[in-house]
Amino acid sequence: MTSTQVTRADFDEVMVPNYNPQQFIPVRGAGSRVWDQNDNEYIDFAGGIAVNALGHAHPKLVETLKEQADKLWHLSNTCTNEPALRLAQKLTAATFADKVFFANSGGEANEAAFKLARKYGFDNFGPEKNEIIAFHQGFHGRTLFTVSVGGQEKYRIGFEPVPGGISHVPFNDLEALKEAISDRTCAVVMEPIQGEGGVLSPSADFMRGVRELCDQHNALLVLDEVQTGVGRTGKLYAYMHSDVKPDILTTAKALGGGFPIGAMLCTDKVAPSLNFGTHGSTYGGNPLGCAVAEAALDIINTPEVLEQVNTKRALFEAELEKLNAKHGIFKDVRGGGLLIGAELTEEWHGKAAKFLAGARDAGVMILVAGPNVLRFTPSLIIPDADIIEGMARLDKALEVVIKAEQAAA
Ligand code: PLP
């Protein structure tokens, strides 16, 4: 096989400029370590933005993918397949849900959820019941419907006209929701912790209040657990920390441990509205994705993995506290489980991307959630030694960035 050396410069030549990837090109990973083309090593505190929940090249996922690759890749949805049925059985057994629709991504899972919410309203209450309420700063994907439900205007600008019947209210503000909701509302859509919006958790009372308002107005509660799901917060799904159950839940990212798959879970009450022919996806529910997701779920949905999410979080918090004692740059460390946001102090607001770049140069991959928050979404099974080593690298990175910024000021 011939191999042509490609570089980051080629990106600008042949790729649409919707991304601006970093200069290094990772070529392999194992556990929570990644190596680039020049064999530089990085500790991965990002996990592909909360995707690689079992790290890179987890042996069981690799084995499952290879086994399924030898058997069956694709047939179309004119046939069902064994991995899809097994995965759906496991997801429904483990959650509030009775039924599953498989997609390939979080955005697609949400698209299905929003369409189902509208269709359920239409079927049961008539065409007027079509309004969707979502929250400022919420993020639900990049399709036209999902940027419209998302609460970040910057993702809609230039793409108008967007679908109508959608409004946004401040997150964690029950009074605002009470004002906005009506009998025309078919769904309220929320993330149990806003990820892209800055790692913001609502209060338990807010979650309960949202559920009650939905019930009062016959509106469905759609929980977008694309980022918070599949063990990320220490429970299989974040709603399980509360007594609130959704009508529809979307999941993706960690579901395939890095293999693209998404799913919409729902109750028997609403599922009939997605009746035969109303929705579909060529690849959704394909045997490869479902086989890998089943293997990932089997590993993640165990007390051993879920319980250690909180001990690993405690280690992250302790290490971040040490860094803060030395550098004094964090004003708040928040989130749940291994979805961790560290908000910078006002002095450093707007500079999150600088710290991300500094971390990369020091050999640790982190994320940001907006301009003011550093975000950490590592593998759920990241070894403690990697957390400690990654934090030592982050310590050096903070030192370098702080010095450079102070010199430039
Ligand atoms: N919903 C949430 C809460 C997300 O965090 C994301 C991605 O970051 C999405 C939806 C979109 O998922 P995808 O990029 O797989 O379409």
Side-chain angles (χ1 to χ4, degrees):
M1 206 195 293
T2 55
S3 132
T4 311
Q5 181 70 2
V6 285
T7 68
R8 170 63 178 80
D10 293 315
F11 182 94
D12 298 332
E13 288 292 315
V14 294
M15 305 282 264
V16 163
N18 63 315
Y19 303 119
N20 179 22
Q22 307 190 53
Q23 291 301 318
F24 71 102
I25 300 183
V27 291
R28 69 196 160 87
S32 285
R33 306 228 173 190
V34 169
W35 290 268
D36 70 12
Q37 288 174 313
N38 301 317
D39 222 24
N40 296 314
E41 183 211 75
Y42 303 83
I43 290 178
D44 187 359
F45 281 173
I49 316 193
V51 169
N52 303 307
L54 295 172
H56 298 274
H58 187 284
K60 184 66 195 164
L61 301 195
V62 173
E63 180 196 315
T64 304
L65 183 61
K66 284 181 175 166
E67 248 174 42
Q68 187 59 44
D70 279 336
K71 285 193 209 158
L72 190 67
W73 289 26
H74 178 76
L75 282 169
S76 93
N77 285 304
T78 60
C79 300
T80 188
N81 66 74
E82 290 183 353
L85 292 172
R86 283 198 306 265
L87 178 59
Q89 279 174 343
K90 288 181 180 178
L91 285 169
T92 53
T95 66
F96 75 98
D98 306 303
K99 295 283 191 290
V100 179
F101 168 80
F102 286 119
N104 307 289
S105 65
E108 282 179 54
N110 281 332
E111 189 79 21
F114 305 159
K115 282 180 71 179
L116 172 56
R118 284 235 168 119
K119 185 68 167 31
Y120 175 81
F122 179 91
D123 288 349
N124 293 281
F125 302 94
E128 308 277 276
K129 195 168 180 71
N130 61 44
E131 293 178 4
I132 294 175
I133 303 179
F135 295 95
H136 291 160
Q137 301 311 318
F139 185 83
H140 303 295
R142 298 297 202 106
T143 67
L144 199 58
F145 204 170
T146 56
V147 292
S148 310
V149 175
Q152 302 191 38
E153 202 186 5
K154 65 181 182 201
Y155 295 132
R156 291 194 287 275
I157 289 171
F159 297 107
E160 298 97 344
V162 296
I166 300 164
S167 60
H168 299 93
V169 296
F171 194 50
N172 221 3
D173 183 342
L174 203 57
E175 283 309 308
L177 181 63
K178 213 178 267 175
E179 283 279 298
I181 200 166
S182 76
D183 288 346
R184 296 169 67 105
T185 307
C186 69
V188 175
V189 178
M190 72 181 276
E191 297 161 82
I193 300 174
Q194 285 193 337
E196 303 302 306
V199 191
L200 298 166
S201 302
S203 68
D205 281 351
F206 180 71
M207 287 277 286
R208 221 170 287 129
V210 173
R211 177 72 268 181
E212 280 165 16
L213 285 172
C214 285
D215 291 341
Q216 281 163 24
H217 293 277
N218 290 313
L220 300 177
L221 174 59
V222 179
L223 285 185
D224 178 343
E225 293 236 27
V226 168
Q227 190 153 160
T228 53
V230 201
R232 177 63 42 198
T233 68
K235 300 264 189 199
L236 185 62
Y237 288 98
Y239 81 85
M240 294 172 175
H241 292 283
S242 72
D243 50 10
V244 167
K245 288 194 179 80
D247 301 288
I248 300 177
L249 178 150
T250 54
T251 177
K253 286 191 180 282
L255 183 60
F259 196 93
I261 180 169
M264 179 195 69
L265 315 184
C266 65
T267 59
D268 270 337
K269 180 178 96 170
V270 301
S273 285
L274 226 48
N275 53 321
F276 180 70
T278 49
H279 192 59
S281 158
T282 293
Y283 291 119
N286 71 80
L288 283 174
C290 291
V292 178
E294 184 193 4
L297 191 66
D298 284 346
I299 298 170
I300 292 170
N301 195 23
T302 56
E304 301 85 77
V305 171
L306 294 177
E307 279 163 19
Q308 65 168 7
V309 167
N310 284 319
T311 47
K312 291 192 184 296
R313 181 196 174 84
L315 182 54
F316 257 92
E317 277 189 6
E319 290 292 311
L320 285 169
E321 227 163 79
K322 273 195 232 161
L323 293 188
N324 210 24
K326 188 165 165 194
H327 303 288
I329 61 161
F330 301 129
K331 102 179 206 199
D332 186 24
V333 174
R334 58 189 185 230
L338 287 171
L339 170 52
I340 302 168
E343 182 173 349
L344 299 166
T345 55
E346 257 91 65
E347 182 193 353
W348 297 99
H349 269 195
K351 299 267 166 73
K354 298 243 181 212
F355 288 107
L356 181 147
R360 173 207 57 216
D361 294 344
V364 56
M365 296 163 81
I366 65 167
L367 297 165
V368 300
N372 308 330
V373 178
L374 306 187
R375 181 171 33 154
F376 307 88
T377 55
S379 155
L380 306 182
I381 55 169
I382 182 171
D384 290 355
D386 286 5
I387 299 176
I388 290 164
E389 169 71 22
M391 285 294 175
R393 295 182 190 186
L394 188 58
D395 181 18
K396 291 205 183 93
L398 297 184
E399 210 163 291
V400 171
V401 174
I402 289 168
K403 249 192 213 139
E405 288 295 308
Q406 282 169 346

